[in-house]
Amino acid sequence: MIRLFVPQDLAPGYGVILTLDQSRYLTSVMRQAIGAQVLLFNGRDGEWTATLTETGKRGSLLKVDEQVRPMALGPDLDLVIALVKRGRVETIVEKAAELGVRRVRLTITRRTNVDFVKLGRLDAIAMEAAEQTGRLDVPAVDDPQKLAEILDGWDPARKLVFCDEAGDARPAFQALAGSQAPAAILIGPEGGFSPEEREALRALPFVIPVSLGPRILRADTAAISALTLWQAAVGDWREG
Amino acid sequence: MIRLFVPQDLAPGYGVILTLDQSRYLTSVMRQAIGAQVLLFNGRDGEWTATLTETGKRGSLLKVDEQVRPMALGPDLDLVIALVKRGRVETIVEKAAELGVRRVRLTITRRTNVDFVKLGRLDAIAMEAAEQTGRLDVPAVDDPQKLAEILDGWDPARKLVFCDEAGDARPAFQALAGSQAPAAILIGPEGGFSPEEREALRALPFVIPVSLGPRILRADTAAISALTLWQAAVGDWREG
């Protein structure tokens, strides 16, 4: 069934007006007519069935029926990622949503040579990926911030998983086993972290350095692999 | 240093003529001039340094210097993947090269609704990804073949890791721990395998069903996550 994220509160009998984009997607692309059922979620109230009651050029109206899943969040996992080329940042945001990341923090490091990003487009990608993957919230995508500023304000209770391609770190699954949420994965730019950045990171008490195998990985691959291994070792891919 | 895959034999003093594409990349894009050093590999003879000795509109010539790494292959891992949209197949081939896959086999399943693929373009993507990731071979990409035919000709010594989104399979890392190469990862189409396909797969003695967490993953994400977990549990990302 089609799933849509909406900002409105969800409760039995409530009316929901879709955005023009969502309305067009629902009626023109997916060819849904009055009476069709969809699933709605808003990041707060779980998942609800709703019925399409009005369509038109100025939007569509849905009536909320009943809750089918109570609200639940995945493990508390963030992703901190150095800005890379637009296509790869878009891939990373989409995959972060599928792999259960709550918040994507874009960062500027010493060797980052990209300084522009369309946050609106990344938000739309995060929303669509959340709709398709079945989660009940949408990951936030933060404005780019300098790495030093992010580290200065870091909550030491949150482990920072540093994917260190240059070092002698332990393989990620073994390094992560036994650690706990909250956590964040940190992925550097295509040129890697500078020696000063590496040294600073490895001296921080909340940092867990990890290795991602013997081959050089592009930033998007490193992000997906590290998120996967965290979910398998610590998160909701573990044996229940 | 720039790495290039070439088909020719590599030995001290040998001359290597680059293709026009590689020559243009080396001299125009990367602005290398006569005397520049590059790394060459051919999938058989390891990795060698070579010196650019001639450039011109009709190509470039290199002279092979010395071997810097002996030939070595990663663990014997294939990927069998249902055809999906072009952009996602291209992502999958690139990531398969980075994650150490030896052979990508494209397959047509009951719910596959894509029947066209440009193999030449996929070969080029595999080669470029192999050059950048540092491996000493380039993964082969096979012509699409029906799933039933692939399974009929399967070598039972090769484990087939079946990413079963519909089932009660164990989490991938735990399901794979203790198994051995050779292996292949099997990823279905966006609509999943049909019930008949699932039943047939789960009845095969060489199949290991695995689960990839509680969220629905797109085919490219599932492929990258499953390859990562295999490398971490069985392959060359293990603790050495």
Side-chain angles (χ1 to χ4, degrees):
Chain A
M1 211 184 317
I2 296 165
R3 296 180 87 239
L4 296 173
F5 174 83
V6 294
Q8 294 98 325
D9 289 340
L10 297 171
Y14 276 31
V16 170
I17 301 170
L18 295 183
T19 65
L20 281 181
D21 277 353
Q22 285 182 319
S23 178
R24 215 174 290 129
Y25 169 76
L26 194 61
T27 59
S28 302
V29 180
M30 301 305 286
R31 301 186 170 276
Q32 300 296 300
I34 287 171
Q37 278 223 321
V38 302
L39 293 169
L40 300 180
F41 65 107
N42 62 7
R44 304 182 302 277
D45 299 319
E47 187 171 60
W48 296 72
T49 54
T51 307
L52 185 56
T53 55
E54 280 182 46
T55 65
K57 285 196 177 158
R58 296 168 68 188
S60 297
L61 193 67
L62 296 162
K63 194 175 124 299
V64 178
D65 297 323
E66 53 175 6
Q67 195 187 47
V68 289
R69 288 162 69 196
M71 188 59 205
L73 291 174
D76 189 352
L77 177 63
D78 290 350
L79 175 65
V80 183
I81 182 128
L83 273 181
V84 285
K85 278 185 205 152
R86 201 186 68 176
R88 291 198 193 268
V89 172
E90 293 182 0
T91 301
I92 288 164
V93 168
E94 177 184 295
K95 300 320 180 197
E98 290 175 63
L99 294 168
V101 167
R102 289 200 191 169
R103 181 182 181 198
V104 179
R105 306 183 69 173
L106 302 170
T107 187
I108 295 158
T109 66
R110 185 104 177 247
R111 293 183 185 157
T112 300
N113 50 19
V114 178
D115 57 1
F116 178 74
V117 69
K118 281 189 181 164
L119 272 192
R121 169 118 179 98
L122 296 181
D123 286 335
I125 288 170
M127 190 174 91
E128 195 190 318
E131 288 171 347
Q132 297 204 10
T133 202
R135 60 190 279 173
L136 297 174
D137 61 330
V138 173
V141 183
D142 288 8
D143 260 321
Q145 206 182 349
K146 283 192 180 156
L147 180 62
E149 286 170 20
I150 288 182
L151 295 177
D152 279 348
W154 197 263
D155 169 7
R158 182 181 295 273
K159 295 293 178 196
L160 183 60
V161 180
F162 166 38
C163 298
D164 185 9
E165 57 192 26
D168 52 354
R170 292 183 66 194
F173 188 90
Q174 283 75 18
L176 293 172
S179 74
Q180 290 187 319
I185 306 285
L186 173 63
I187 304 284
E190 297 286 348
F193 290 103
S194 74
E196 297 76 23
E197 286 171 331
R198 279 196 65 229
E199 209 175 311
L201 281 164
R202 294 199 60 150
L204 291 168
F206 49 79
V207 163
I208 306 178
V210 306
S211 147
L212 296 175
R215 286 169 292 278
I216 296 163
L217 304 182
R218 283 172 160 132
D220 50 350
T221 319
I224 300 168
S225 290
L227 293 170
T228 296
L229 291 169
W230 189 89
Q231 290 292 9
V234 186
D236 62 11
W237 293 30
R238 273 181 312 167
E239 201 132 32
Chain B
M1 212 184 315
I2 296 166
R3 295 181 87 238
L4 296 173
F5 174 84
V6 295
Q8 295 97 323
D9 289 340
L10 298 171
Y14 277 31
V16 170
I17 302 171
L18 294 183
T19 65
L20 281 182
D21 276 353
Q22 285 181 320
S23 177
R24 215 172 291 129
Y25 169 77
L26 193 62
T27 58
S28 302
V29 180
M30 302 306 286
R31 303 186 168 276
Q32 301 296 301
I34 286 172
Q37 277 223 321
V38 302
L39 293 169
L40 300 180
F41 65 107
N42 61 8
R44 303 181 303 276
D45 299 319
E47 188 172 58
W48 296 72
T49 53
T51 307
L52 186 57
T53 55
E54 281 183 43
T55 65
K57 284 197 180 159
R58 296 168 67 186
S60 296
L61 193 67
L62 296 162
K63 196 174 124 300
V64 178
D65 298 322
E66 55 175 3
Q67 195 187 47
V68 288
R69 287 161 70 195
M71 188 59 206
L73 291 173
D76 188 351
L77 177 63
D78 291 349
L79 174 64
V80 183
I81 183 129
L83 273 181
V84 286
K85 279 185 204 150
R86 201 185 69 177
R88 293 199 191 268
V89 171
E90 293 182 0
T91 302
I92 289 164
V93 168
E94 177 183 295
K95 301 320 180 197
E98 291 176 63
L99 294 168
V101 167
R102 288 201 192 167
R103 181 183 181 197
V104 178
R105 305 183 68 173
L106 302 170
T107 186
I108 296 159
T109 66
R110 185 106 175 245
R111 294 184 184 155
T112 301
N113 50 18
V114 179
D115 58 1
F116 178 75
V117 69
K118 282 189 181 164
L119 274 191
R121 169 117 179 98
L122 296 181
D123 285 337
I125 289 170
M127 189 173 92
E128 195 190 318
E131 288 171 348
Q132 297 204 10
T133 202
R135 59 191 279 173
L136 297 174
D137 61 332
V138 173
V141 183
D142 288 9
D143 260 322
Q145 205 182 350
K146 284 193 180 154
L147 181 62
E149 287 169 19
I150 288 181
L151 295 178
D152 280 348
W154 198 262
D155 170 7
R158 182 181 296 273
K159 295 293 179 198
L160 183 60
V161 180
F162 166 36
C163 299
D164 184 8
E165 58 192 26
D168 52 354
R170 292 183 68 192
F173 188 90
Q174 284 76 18
L176 292 172
S179 73
Q180 290 186 320
I185 306 284
L186 172 63
I187 304 284
E190 296 287 348
F193 290 104
S194 74
E196 297 76 23
E197 287 171 331
R198 277 195 67 229
E199 212 176 307
L201 282 163
R202 295 199 60 150
L204 292 168
F206 49 78
V207 163
I208 305 178
V210 306
S211 148
L212 296 175
R215 285 167 294 277
I216 296 163
L217 303 182
R218 282 172 161 133
D220 49 351
T221 319
I224 300 167
S225 290
L227 293 169
T228 297
L229 290 170
W230 190 89
Q231 291 291 11
V234 185
D236 61 10
W237 294 29
R238 272 182 312 167
E239 201 132 30

